[in-house]
Amino acid sequence: MTRFLKTFTAAAVLALVGIGAQASDFPAKDKPITIVVPFAAGGPTDRVARDLAEAMRKPLGGVTVLVDNAAGAGGSIGANKVAKAAPDGYTLLVHHIGMATMPTLVRNIPFKVETDFEYLGGINDVPMTIIAKPTLPANNMKELVAWVAANKGKINLGNAGVGSASHLCGLLFQEALKTDMTPVPYKGTAPAMTDLIGGQIDLMCDQTTNTTSQIEAKKVKAFAVTSPKRLSTAALKDIPTMQESGFKDFQVSIWHGLYAPKGTPADVAKKLNDALKVALKDPDFIKKQEGLGAVVVTDKRMDSADHKKFVAAEIAKWSPIIKAAGVYAD
């Protein structure tokens, strides 16, 4: 028995030394890091992830950083893929506000958002815009509110699918106006935007990453932005905030964060967080995000613990709104 214990102890020590060596050597030059995006290629979260992948390559020693799109079920399929991945730092997740809404939106979610991930930090905030078909008669938020009141029961509100940013913002917009609208879910933002421009649906609330070019081209009408202050982007700088428009408590942004599987070694997680912080200060990354209407995180949410606290607060905010709507992704 004594010999067995000595052998077991020696093996355990060697195993721990091996794990430490692997962590200290992270990332290996010949092993790519994969960022999983739980939405389709070409969408706003995909664009953020691809910009981030490029910005993190240099601080990670030039290692290849790939993007893998695993869409479906309100973003839970891709998130589950990362939750179940090897906790070695080579499989990461970029997710948006869905990290806070999945616990309620997907009732049979196969993982726990709060405990099955290492929170690496926040990335950016993407404001939303309240937009309408070009033929809608209202020209400002006051007129839009009056139009909504006069057309109760007749209004179609488009979104990019259950659990999408536009779906969540739409729920909040209906709550703010105390008016139910007929939801029209699409398989992505592109077909929803096409129908809004064509007048098949009346309204939509979507990210500036999707709406800025359409607003600039005057293909849709814009009524308000959901940021706490007006945006500096040329196409959006004259659009009032929801607070200016009389909705004091209406503020929503579609934030993005970076995550790793639970159990990722602490020093590997630190290297990833350090690389993230460098990427968030990269002038080229900042410029690309500003071009999308996004604001790069500069506050304490860059730190792992503070981003986790932020997500917990967002879960508490969105859970009652989703439950009141009674629309789920499963």
Side-chain angles (χ1 to χ4, degrees):
M1 178 63 74
T2 302
R3 182 182 296 175
F4 171 77
L5 288 173
K6 287 181 178 178
T7 303
F8 176 78
T9 302
V13 169
L14 287 172
L16 289 172
V17 169
I19 290 172
Q22 289 173 4
S24 65
D25 292 342
F26 176 86
K29 295 287 187 182
D30 58 348
K31 188 173 183 180
I33 293 173
T34 298
I35 295 178
V36 175
V37 175
F39 303 102
T45 301
D46 179 69
R47 293 172 71 180
V48 170
R50 291 179 189 278
D51 289 345
L52 183 69
E54 181 59 30
M56 287 183 69
R57 271 192 345 103
K58 187 174 180 180
L60 287 172
V63 67
T64 300
V65 184
L66 307 173
V67 172
D68 174 26
N69 298 92
S76 64
I77 289 176
N80 187 52
K81 186 173 183 177
V82 176
K84 301 297 189 290
D88 55 10
Y90 290 96
T91 305
L92 308 177
L93 173 70
V94 165
H95 208 322
H96 64 21
I97 195 173
M99 281 297 276
T101 60
M102 279 190 299
T104 309
L105 196 64
V106 185
R107 291 168 293 184
N108 296 315
I109 193 169
F111 56 86
K112 292 186 180 298
V113 167
E114 300 93 328
T115 58
D116 286 349
F117 297 92
E118 301 294 345
Y119 285 61
L120 299 177
I123 301 170
N124 67 11
D125 293 304
V126 183
M128 308 291 283
T129 47
I130 306 296
I131 57 176
K133 62 185 180 183
T135 56
L136 196 136
N139 292 302
N140 54 53
M141 183 56 75
K142 183 178 180 180
E143 292 180 5
L144 178 61
V145 171
W147 180 84
V148 168
N151 288 275
K152 285 186 177 181
K154 305 175 186 177
I155 302 168
N156 293 322
L157 180 66
N159 66 63
V162 175
S164 65
S166 50
H167 172 230
L168 298 171
C169 186
L171 293 179
L172 203 61
F173 187 53
Q174 291 176 83
E175 183 182 74
L177 267 64
K178 304 293 187 248
T179 302
D180 290 332
M181 303 176 193
T182 302
V184 184
Y186 291 81
K187 292 182 178 180
T189 297
M193 187 66 73
T194 297
D195 275 6
L196 184 71
I197 293 170
Q200 282 75 44
I201 53 176
D202 301 310
L203 296 168
M204 192 158 72
C205 177
D206 207 354
Q207 302 174 69
T208 53
T209 47
N210 295 324
T211 64
T212 300
S213 61
Q214 308 297 346
I215 293 169
E216 188 173 28
K218 301 189 184 303
K219 291 183 177 180
V220 297
K221 283 189 174 183
F223 293 92
V225 294
T226 65
S227 51
K229 60 182 181 180
R230 292 197 185 196
L231 302 175
S232 59
T233 309
L236 306 176
K237 62 183 178 64
D238 294 327
I239 301 175
T241 66
M242 286 294 285
Q243 286 92 333
E244 287 180 83
S245 303
F247 297 90
K248 184 177 67 174
D249 298 322
F250 195 109
Q251 183 178 323
V252 58
S253 67
I254 303 304
W255 45 266
H256 291 85
L258 184 66
Y259 312 86
K262 185 68 177 178
T264 300
D267 53 349
V268 170
K270 185 179 186 307
K271 284 187 177 182
L272 290 166
N273 177 256
D274 288 345
L276 173 64
K277 288 178 177 177
V278 172
L280 296 182
K281 295 176 183 177
D282 183 295
D284 189 48
F285 179 74
I286 293 171
K287 184 177 180 180
K288 287 178 179 177
Q289 297 307 293
E290 288 177 344
L292 297 173
V295 180
V296 174
V297 167
T298 58
D299 59 20
K300 60 185 180 180
R301 285 178 295 154
M302 288 193 293
D303 293 319
S304 304
D306 285 296
H307 179 58
K308 189 170 185 176
K309 290 177 184 176
F310 171 76
V311 175
E314 287 285 280
I315 291 173
K317 170 184 175 179
W318 285 100
S319 181
I321 295 171
I322 294 168
K323 288 178 179 177
V327 179
Y328 302 95
D330 55 359

